[in-house]
Amino acid sequence: MTTLRIGYESYWMLSAAAGPCPPLAPDSVTEVDTVVVGGGIAGLSTAWELVRAGKHVAVLEADRIAAGVTGHTSGKLSALHGFVYARIRDTHGAEGARLYARSQQDAVEHAARVAAELGVDCELERRPAYTFVESADHADEMRDEADAAREAGLDASYVTGTGLPFAAHGAVRVPGQIQFHPRKYLLGLAADLRGRGGLIHERTRVVGLDQGEPCRVTAENGAVVVARDVVVATHYPVFDRALMFSRLSPRRELVIAATVPEASDPGGMYLTPERNTRSVHTAPYPFREGQRLLVVTGEKFVPGTAGIGSVNARYERLAAWMYERFPDAGLVHRWATQDNDTTDLVPYIGRFHPATHHTYVAAGFGGWGMSSGILSGRLLAAHITGAALPAWAELYDPVRLHPRETTAWLRRQSTVARHFVGGRLTPSYVDSPDEIQPGAGAIVRIRGRRCAVHRTAEGEVRALSARCTHLGCLVRFNDAEGAWECPCHGSRFDVDGSVLQGPATRPLEPREVESHDDLSG
């Protein structure tokens, strides 16, 4: 039987290898109909829809396609999104909730059709989705959500029995949803896209956008792509023309995966908002006969706010929860994912800002990027090709601004301001690099400036500017993933300063470390 390397990496990444796509040649000029910035599920879905419609499309990805958020998701494709329908009904009215349900369920069915059409073996399985609670504290809220989801058009019901091996006080159930291998699905799309003449360029980080006619996109190596239309599908927009950084809240979430006997499969996809969110489902695991892969997600936090030692502690809490409820589980993988919440819980999909007719965006999926990414592809392709827009286009319009968003927007700005100003008023986290253990990192004052200092496993000390290159907030160290994170807008950097995740596009600047006196002075 094939063996799989065990480690703290995404199972989806480890179990679906792909050959590289060439980067754009330095200082080259390429002309296409549409350039898509970002090679995740939203970007690749959009590019694939456009290529099928006869457009010449180029996808530019800063790293590897299907390797960012999509390569580290939980692998659920569902229209049941926790406690979302009652809240959208309150914010956008009953019709808004119906349009949300129709669009999300349409995305679920579209993925099934595409996988069948292309013959992609993405381990797609139909399962019911549940939002559940273990205590009676949220029982009324659960019943209200069941009513709201049913009124929105989903085949939703309130139940007290589930397939979980522990008691749930109540749950919302929606049948016929999907769990699948997201990376295999996207690699299938990418192969078909290239087969139809589409271009994919990896290791091509975009740093500039000129929204003229035509538009011009510039990569950090000087390469330029000229196109009539541009789609920004970088998870968090790398350009702030629409001031979306003030309307998006980043959050990171941990994922662990364990083997369980097939008999222990709970037979569905489950999510509870309790205990800082817990999500459970399984996937095929061909590497161990008679076993399924149990995928457990939870422990949400804002990047850069977890504190020293906190992320590892969160992993331990998540694992303890799993072992308590699935005692025969055997941990084999752990990873983390990241997404952004909008102020009204509905993603931004459409024109980037009011002044443009050729630049589009897909962002703010709120942890439900599989369905919203596929939805983005269909909606943005309709915008660009001039096809009839679906009924839900206005609901997702990024230009929208509902009165009830104002309070959430002000709260978001207050949080960012606390990080931006408070980070500068708070003393350095450690007084000397001598306090930093191998493999750890902390903020240290060097020559009067706060620097992000990391000590390698071999004891070498590396110092970087602690100021995020996006808007200047101070970064913090994530001990479990060995990365610097910005608490304001979610940018992430490797210990050498290189960008792991936007919206930042430039690395953290290195700082000279000449002696112990330089470090502690």
Side-chain angles (χ1 to χ4, degrees):
M1 179 175 290
T2 304
T3 59
L4 180 70
R5 179 166 55 90
I6 304 303
Y8 289 158
E9 297 182 60
S10 163
Y11 169 73
W12 314 124
M13 295 296 298
L14 290 171
S15 57
C21 298
L24 277 175
D27 302 316
S28 61
V29 177
T30 304
E31 295 186 10
V32 293
D33 296 326
T34 305
V35 56
V36 176
V37 185
I41 191 163
L44 288 174
S45 295
T46 302
W48 184 78
E49 300 284 352
L50 288 170
V51 167
R52 288 194 70 196
K55 296 292 185 180
H56 188 206
V57 180
V59 177
L60 308 184
E61 166 57 42
D63 190 13
R64 299 293 303 279
I65 61 168
V69 175
T70 303
H72 294 79
T73 182
S74 63
K76 296 189 300 181
L77 177 54
S78 172
L80 183 63
H81 296 173
F83 284 140
V84 73
Y85 285 99
R87 297 174 186 177
I88 291 178
R89 181 185 59 191
D90 291 344
T91 304
H92 294 274
E95 180 62 15
R98 282 192 289 271
L99 291 172
Y100 186 87
R102 284 175 55 194
S103 61
Q104 296 289 332
Q105 186 61 41
D106 178 80
V108 172
E109 300 307 326
H110 187 64
R113 290 193 298 269
V114 170
E117 175 187 335
L118 300 183
V120 178
D121 182 11
C122 57
E123 302 169 6
L124 189 150
E125 299 175 324
R126 291 282 190 173
R127 293 289 187 275
Y130 297 82
T131 300
F132 72 97
V133 291
E134 293 185 72
S135 71
D137 295 343
H138 298 284
D140 291 341
E141 188 178 2
M142 184 64 64
R143 290 189 177 89
D144 187 40
E145 181 64 23
D147 291 340
R150 186 168 52 252
E151 291 168 6
L154 294 183
D155 184 14
S157 58
Y158 178 81
V159 299
T160 54
T162 72
L164 292 168
F166 53 90
H169 186 83
V172 182
R173 181 182 187 272
V174 175
Q177 305 304 289
I178 287 173
Q179 56 191 28
F180 72 150
H181 196 303
R183 183 164 161 82
K184 288 184 178 180
Y185 174 81
L186 282 190
L187 293 179
L189 253 64
D192 190 64
L193 186 157
R194 297 178 74 184
R196 294 172 182 266
L199 306 176
I200 298 177
H201 295 287
E202 298 178 322
R203 308 290 200 227
T204 302
R205 184 176 298 281
V206 171
V207 296
L209 170 62
D210 180 346
Q211 298 181 80
E213 295 188 12
C215 300
R216 295 171 63 89
V217 167
T218 306
E220 63 181 351
N221 68 353
V224 173
V225 179
V226 180
R228 179 180 184 273
D229 298 294
V230 176
V231 173
V232 180
T234 55
H235 175 63
Y236 197 117
V238 294
F239 305 109
D240 291 332
R241 312 291 172 79
L243 298 180
M244 278 193 181
F245 62 87
S246 66
R247 302 167 65 198
L248 291 169
S249 301
R251 60 177 164 93
R252 199 146 183 83
E253 199 160 359
L254 307 184
V255 186
I256 58 176
T259 56
V260 293
E262 291 178 348
S264 297
D265 184 352
M269 300 176 287
Y270 300 85
L271 180 142
T272 176
E274 296 175 320
R275 299 172 185 259
N276 196 17
T277 304
R278 295 291 186 264
S279 169
V280 177
H281 75 101
T282 68
Y285 197 69
F287 305 99
R288 292 187 184 176
E289 187 174 353
Q291 300 280 303
R292 297 274 294 181
L293 190 71
L294 182 73
V295 182
V296 181
T297 309
E299 290 297 322
K300 296 185 295 186
F301 61 96
V302 176
T305 64
I308 297 175
S310 175
V311 179
N312 273 319
R314 289 175 182 274
Y315 271 118
E316 291 170 3
R317 284 199 296 270
L318 194 60
W321 184 92
M322 177 187 71
Y323 285 129
E324 180 182 345
R325 290 156 179 77
F326 296 87
D328 50 4
L331 185 65
V332 288
H333 304 285
R334 80 175 193 183
W335 66 91
T337 188
Q338 190 163 314
D339 209 341
N340 303 289
D341 298 308
T342 66
T343 50
D344 64 351
L345 303 181
V346 177
Y348 300 132
I349 309 169
R351 288 185 305 144
F352 201 1
H353 55 81
T356 184
H357 296 284
H358 295 288
T359 306
Y360 302 88
V361 69
F365 296 155
W368 300 101
M370 298 298 95
S371 58
S372 293
I374 293 167
L375 184 163
S376 297
R378 305 192 77 193
L379 179 51
L380 293 180
H383 273 289
I384 292 169
T385 62
L389 294 176
W392 48 81
E394 186 175 350
L395 174 69
Y396 293 96
D397 188 353
V399 180
R400 72 182 185 270
L401 185 62
H402 291 271
R404 295 193 183 189
E405 285 191 81
T406 304
T407 300
W409 182 86
L410 291 172
R411 186 166 54 247
R412 167 69 182 141
Q413 298 322 296
S414 175
T415 300
V416 171
R418 286 199 303 273
H419 290 311
F420 189 84
V421 177
R424 285 155 175 75
L425 299 179
T426 304
S428 299
Y429 287 97
V430 299
D431 296 322
S432 166
D434 294 339
E435 301 177 38
I436 301 174
Q437 298 298 311
I443 303 299
V444 183
R445 191 178 294 277
I446 301 177
R447 303 185 191 91
R449 293 185 297 181
R450 288 188 177 90
C451 295
V453 179
H454 171 257
R455 186 182 296 277
T456 68
E458 295 74 28
E460 178 187 355
V461 173
R462 297 174 177 173
L464 303 164
S465 168
R467 187 186 290 262
C468 177
T469 57
H470 176 227
L471 290 179
C473 294
L474 294 183
V475 297
R476 306 288 188 272
F477 194 69
N478 179 324
D479 60 294
E481 299 178 77
W484 296 101
E485 299 177 340
C486 175
C488 290
H489 305 106
S491 295
R492 305 180 68 247
F493 305 86
D494 205 342
V495 292
D496 64 0
S498 59
V499 178
L500 294 174
Q501 194 158 359
T505 59
R506 292 177 292 111
L508 296 177
E509 297 178 1
R511 292 285 184 254
E512 291 290 334
V513 180
E514 298 176 357
S515 68
H516 175 82
D517 291 338
D518 286 328
L519 284 168
S520 59

